[in-house]
Amino acid sequence: IPCLRSPRNPEQKIIKRVIALEGDIVKTIGYKKKYVKVPHGHIWVEGDHHGHSFDSNAFGPVSLGLLHARATHILWPPHRWQKLQPVLPPERKPLHREQE
């Protein structure tokens, strides 16, 4: 789960789930286009709260250059301590993945 600089405010860091990689076609949720082919050098990221998350559905594909770190655990608040699992919700899998 990447930690990246916000495309709208590079001083702000956001943590989102990678939904699609470059070349993938993803069905968006409220973005200006219903389907997007992720361009070269970009990823599609989404938060876990669909419709209430500042993510690619708001700002589009994210440049790989904005990747900053990788989140591995939730530490705060203590009742939520856990290791993050790289799970992609089945309904958010890319519609098409380019063959490598």
Side-chain angles (χ1 to χ4, degrees):
I1 299 182
C3 177
L4 50 124
R5 295 186 186 280
S6 169
R8 294 215 176 130
N9 178 3
E11 298 299 315
Q12 179 184 19
K13 293 185 179 95
I14 57 177
I15 297 176
K16 303 296 174 189
R17 190 176 305 277
V18 175
I19 300 297
L21 303 173
E22 57 186 29
D24 291 346
I25 296 173
V26 65
K27 183 176 180 183
T28 68
I29 303 172
Y31 186 60
K32 59 186 174 185
K33 296 180 184 175
K34 188 172 184 174
Y35 298 96
V36 171
K37 181 175 181 181
V38 181
H40 178 74
H42 290 72
I43 55 176
W44 188 268
V45 297
E46 293 182 358
D48 289 341
H49 304 289
H50 302 300
H52 302 291
S53 182
F54 183 61
D55 57 21
S56 285
N57 288 296
F59 47 70
V62 176
S63 170
L64 291 172
L66 293 175
L67 285 177
H68 179 71
R70 182 174 157 216
T72 59
H73 292 77
I74 295 174
L75 301 176
W76 196 261
H79 73 275
R80 292 194 60 214
W81 283 4
Q82 63 182 294
K83 182 176 182 176
L84 294 172
Q85 300 299 322
V87 177
L88 183 62
E91 70 276 6
R92 295 309 301 141
K93 291 194 177 185
L95 300 173
H96 171 74
R97 174 153 284 162
E98 284 189 348
Q99 301 301 317
E100 297 178 10

